[in-house]
Every structure is written in structure tokens, then in C-alpha cells.
Amino acid sequence: MTMNITISDIIAFAAKTLTAGGIAYAILQFYGKKWLESQFSKKLEDHKGKINALFSRISKIHEKEFEVLPEAWRLLQKALGLVSALASPLKSYPDINRMNTAEFDGFLATSRLNDLDKQSLASASDRNKFFQKKIFWYDLQDAREAVNAFHNYTILNKIFMTKELFDAFKAVDNLLMNTIIEQEIGTEAEDRSMTRNYFKTTRTQIEPLVANIEELVQERLHHAEA
């Protein structure tokens, strides 16, 4: 059987084929573009979520830092004040020996001494000497508790401080605790040279460290921008 294929038939077939291919390509291009846009949007949203979560964590850390540093500074000042008072050679005491009965009773009522020590004070031949020796141990305990509170707080909140700032806090902490130990040992041994060492230590070591801490804290809290 002989097929008579004309030029017109060939042209019609080619046009039909090219038209179908063009439509398929156009469809593929359209949906491919939509798919790529969808994938890009999804990736963009994922990155936005990660970035927002990161900024949220950073913001919380800074918020905690604004809470921690002022409290650490407050605890440091309290500890420093009590240790300074403990070690000061310029302490003043009430003249208990010259108090009349009413004055002495009023003094006992407001004294930090426990009941047993109050009874011992009342019966002491030299009330001034007894009180001055006894009150030292109360002051020592107060200073030790303040230094321990400062120490524990800085340790627990170390992660919210820069290494430089924590190291500075730690250095002062060690010096304050060493001072308490010196005061305790020196008082028990009645060695005044040990109890006088604090002020030399304060001038040469503690005061510069505290001044440095103040600058570092202000820097972290953006004091200059406030």
C-alpha cells in the first residue's frame, strides 16, 4: 500500500508536536517556579524562626545580666563594709562600765548578744573588756555570712558574667575571706600585727579591684548610654 504524504501533512504534524511540547514546557516552568518559591519561603521561615529564637535567648541572657550584676555589686559592698568594720582599728564601743542600771538594762535589751552572753556581761568585773572581746565574734560571724552570700551568688550566676568580671569578683572574694581568717587567727593569738594587715591589703589590692569591678559593671549595663 502506497502512502502519499504531502508537504502539508508534514507541516501539520510538526506544528502539532511543537505545540504540545511548548505547552508541556510552559507547564513545567510554571509549576517548577512555584515549587522553588515554596521551598525558598519555607527555608526563609525556618531561618527566621531560628534567628528569632536566638535573639530571644540573647535578650533573656541580657535581662538576667541586668538583674545579676547590680545584686552582685550590692552583696560585694555589704561584705566589704562588714569586713572593713571587723578589721578597723578605729572601732568605737559604748562605755558600759559607766552605765547606771536603767541604761545597762536598755543596752542589753537592744544588744545582739544571746541570753547566756548577756548574763555573763552583767556579772563581768570589767563589762567593757568582756563586751569588746565577745562582740568581735558576732561581728566576725556577720562578716563571714556576708562574704559567703557574695561568694555563693557570684558562683551560681557565673554564666551571666564575662570571664573578666567574674575573675575580678573572685579575686575580691578571696581577699575578703583571707582577711576574715587573718582576723580570726590574729584575735585568738592576740597578734595585733595580723589584725592590722587588712588596711594595707585594702589600699594595695582590694580597692583597685573594686574600682575595676565598678567600671566593668557600668560598662556591661551601658551606664554611659543611660
Side-chain angles (χ1 to χ4, degrees):
M1 181 176 175
T2 304
M3 296 183 63
N4 296 320
I5 300 174
T6 66
I7 296 298
S8 297
D9 294 331
I10 294 173
I11 293 172
F13 176 78
K16 183 179 180 180
T17 301
L18 289 172
T19 301
I23 293 172
Y25 175 76
I27 292 172
L28 179 62
Q29 186 181 44
F30 175 78
Y31 284 104
K33 182 179 180 182
K34 289 294 184 181
W35 182 83
L36 289 174
E37 290 177 349
S38 174
Q39 292 299 308
F40 177 77
S41 296
K42 184 179 179 181
K43 291 290 185 182
L44 183 60
E45 288 301 317
D46 289 343
H47 282 298
K48 283 182 178 178
K50 291 177 180 178
I51 291 171
N52 288 336
L54 177 61
F55 274 108
S56 178
R57 289 196 297 271
I58 293 173
S59 177
K60 288 180 180 178
I61 289 173
H62 281 300
E63 287 177 6
K64 189 65 177 179
E65 186 179 35
F66 273 74
E67 172 190 325
V68 165
L69 294 185
E71 179 62 10
W73 176 257
R74 185 189 71 80
L75 291 172
L76 169 58
Q77 291 300 315
K78 181 179 179 180
L80 183 60
L82 289 174
V83 171
S84 297
L86 176 72
S88 174
L90 303 175
K91 297 177 183 178
S92 61
Y93 300 98
D95 190 350
I96 305 174
N97 287 336
R98 299 183 62 180
M99 291 181 180
N100 59 38
T101 301
E103 291 171 338
F104 181 68
D105 289 343
F107 173 78
L108 285 183
T110 59
S111 173
R112 291 187 293 145
L113 299 179
N114 59 39
D115 290 341
L116 181 60
D117 288 335
K118 287 179 180 179
Q119 292 175 11
S120 299
L121 174 61
S123 60
S125 58
D126 187 341
R127 290 176 175 177
N128 284 342
K129 184 176 181 181
F130 177 89
F131 176 78
Q132 291 170 20
K133 284 189 174 181
K134 186 61 64 173
I135 201 64
F136 167 82
W137 301 104
Y138 287 82
D139 293 340
L140 179 75
Q141 183 61 26
D142 289 346
R144 179 177 280 120
E145 289 177 358
V147 173
N148 285 339
F150 166 64
H151 170 84
N152 292 336
Y153 189 84
T154 53
I155 291 294
L156 290 173
N157 293 281
K158 177 181 178 180
I159 60 173
F160 301 109
M161 302 179 188
T162 64
K163 183 179 185 303
E164 183 181 13
L165 191 49
F166 175 76
D167 288 345
F169 275 127
K170 183 178 179 181
V172 174
D173 177 19
N174 290 337
L175 288 171
L176 291 175
M177 186 54 70
N178 288 341
T179 298
I180 289 177
I181 293 172
E182 286 181 352
Q183 292 298 310
E184 182 175 14
I185 295 174
T187 299
E188 288 181 336
E190 296 185 352
D191 184 350
R192 293 183 60 83
S193 64
M194 292 186 68
T195 60
R196 286 195 298 263
N197 283 341
Y198 171 76
F199 285 90
K200 181 179 180 181
T201 302
T202 301
R203 288 192 298 272
T204 60
Q205 299 178 53
I206 294 181
E207 286 182 356
L209 283 172
V210 172
N212 182 48
I213 289 173
E214 183 176 7
E215 291 181 4
L216 292 173
V217 169
Q218 290 179 344
E219 180 180 339
R220 295 302 301 173
L221 299 182
H222 310 292
H223 178 75
E225 301 172 10

